[in-house]
Amino acid sequence: MTKVLLNQLSFKREEQVIFQQVDHEFETGSFTLLRGDSGCGKSTLLRLISGFTDLSYEGSIVINGKKQGSLSTYEKASQVGMVFQKPNTQFTMRSLRREITFALENLSLGYEAIQGRMEKAVHLTNTAHLLDREIVSLSDGEKQRASLTVLLAMDAPVLLLDEPFASIDSSSRHQLIHLLGKLRDLGKTIILCDHDLVGYEGVVDEVITLTQRGLRKESISLLGRHEKPQLSRVRSSKSTLLEFQQVSYQQGKRELLEATNYSFNQGITTITGDNGVGKSTLFRAIIQQQRYQGKMFFEDRRMKKRKALYKEVTLAVQEAAHQFIQLTPREELVFNSHLSQEMKQKQENVLEELGLTSKLDGSLFHLSEGQKKMIQLTTMLSLDRKLLLLDEPFTGLDEKACQLFMDWMEEKSDEQSFMIISHRLAPLNHRSDEHVLLNHKRLNFQGETHRQEEIGYEYSQNQFA
């Protein structure tokens, strides 16, 4: 029996058609990868299938032989589980243990059944160490793993996942994709939305692209066209911008970086590392919003928390909406900044290329997550700063947008430097000057094979790319 059937499904927001006349069958025990341009309606489509939304649509959605509109709330929760794009919206309880317990109690399960499901789900996702930590203290990647754990514990036959690996490290991403493949083999129907196609080859059954006119089936060969990213060049080619002297920091009682000496050079620097190792905390320390021990120097001047610092160094946070202080994209783009005519023209060109010109006077919060990220990056890259810190800048962006923003950064890189935290590395291929790995509480340069006798170390080529 077909597990999920879409019949002439159409959706519009106000008077704008997002997609129309979508027909598709998602077979029982199939793994489908859903892709499409930022803002095309992928997240909306998943929310409509889940049934947990008050959005109205035309056409029908059939779940296991029943029209979705006829299903009770309990039946919807039993049949369909969903991981949302923003993990913060997923949780209602303070810890993962309480979240799983709460979700399974709503399915009327007893204590023994709850403990059994929790133990199995935690084992599958390797999240035992997260069970009793405060969810607010978790990194975004850890929150995404936690939300996957809740989904697996609920054990619904249909799994909907909206950009579930956007903040997850490459090793965990590989493990979780193959875990989903095993669940598909056990009969789960999986529909997953992702802009990053790395890691799905040999696992998913079909690739489909959402357009305004419906769903288009793609060749599965799309998944095999990926080269290993090259993230660094010879390190000595640029001068020092930011220097650490015995810098260390911690989260609560957990040490994230031990006393470290390190020099970051001018240009584009990529920072990678597993979830929860302290990459975002590193950025907060650099902008003096996180306590640390030791000294930091920016262009040979001691860094301190002062207004003048933020005219030179700015942080673009992971979740774009947390950066907004205005109501519309147009207001956000020009707020508190004196843009040259040349920069205003650049903004216009970028927004037109991204298809956002018609959305400038609407609400920022009616945009898709990818479109919010586009507005955030356009605003940040319009600023005249010596150093811009970008935390997961490619989340929710399609390939075209990634390339456009990287082109812009390269244009500015002679006068401006960028430090980028990202688990999505393809956009940085041959664009990054340096690759720095944060692991084992240390900062480690990853680069071309190169020996400098005077300081006595060797670099190995991209072993962690």
Side-chain angles (χ1 to χ4, degrees), residues 93 98-109 150 154:
M93 309 303 285
R98 292 183 180 183
E99 187 71 30
I100 294 173
T101 301
F102 175 72
L104 298 187
E105 284 177 343
N106 284 331
L107 295 179
S108 302
L109 296 181
V150 177
M154 294 181 72

Side-chain angles (χ1 to χ4, degrees), residues 224-331:
R225 303 172 186 173
H226 308 289
E227 62 176 301
K228 191 174 182 180
Q230 173 78 27
L231 299 175
S232 55
R233 306 164 188 170
V234 177
R235 189 169 189 232
S236 58
S237 60
K238 304 223 175 186
S239 58
T240 298
L241 180 72
L242 175 65
E243 183 181 358
F244 284 8
Q245 291 185 3
Q246 293 295 294
V247 170
S248 64
Y249 55 80
Q250 57 191 46
Q251 183 183 73
K253 296 182 179 180
R254 190 165 66 103
E255 186 178 53
L256 296 176
L257 184 71
E258 63 186 28
T260 296
N261 295 322
Y262 198 86
S263 295
F264 294 93
N265 290 342
Q266 294 176 346
I268 300 175
T269 298
T270 302
I271 298 176
T272 62
D274 290 345
N275 296 132
V277 297
K279 302 184 297 297
S280 296
T281 308
L282 170 68
F283 275 8
R284 290 196 298 273
I286 292 172
I287 62 167
Q288 311 300 297
Q289 298 292 328
Q290 164 74 31
R291 293 186 64 180
Y292 62 89
Q293 291 73 47
K295 299 177 181 178
M296 294 187 189
F297 295 87
F298 183 74
E299 292 188 327
D300 297 326
R301 301 189 308 274
R302 177 80 180 271
M303 296 183 75
K304 294 181 180 178
K305 189 176 181 180
R306 61 185 190 275
K307 187 175 181 179
L309 173 67
Y310 303 116
K311 293 181 179 180
E312 297 183 315
V313 182
T314 295
L315 168 64
V317 298
Q318 280 193 39
E319 194 165 328
H322 289 172
Q323 197 115 34
F324 297 148
I325 52 179
Q326 298 295 301
L327 294 177
T328 70
R330 190 183 302 279
E331 293 169 330

Side-chain angles (χ1 to χ4, degrees), residues 5-11 18-26 34 45 49 58-61 208-216:
L5 173 64
L6 310 180
N7 183 28
Q8 294 290 289
L9 186 66
S10 299
F11 174 78
I18 305 301
F19 51 77
Q20 59 185 348
Q21 298 180 334
V22 173
D23 291 303
H24 199 78
E25 294 183 6
F26 299 93
L34 173 64
L45 178 61
I49 294 172
E58 295 178 359
S60 64
I61 301 171
I208 55 176
T209 297
L210 179 62
T211 70
Q212 194 178 68
R213 296 180 180 179
L215 287 169
R216 181 180 69 240

Side-chain angles (χ1 to χ4, degrees), residues 180-198:
L180 292 174
K182 291 178 181 178
L183 293 174
R184 176 268 321 276
D185 294 341
L186 294 173
K188 301 286 188 188
T189 303
I190 300 169
I191 309 171
L192 186 150
C193 171
D194 203 343
H195 287 292
D196 188 349
L197 304 185
V198 174

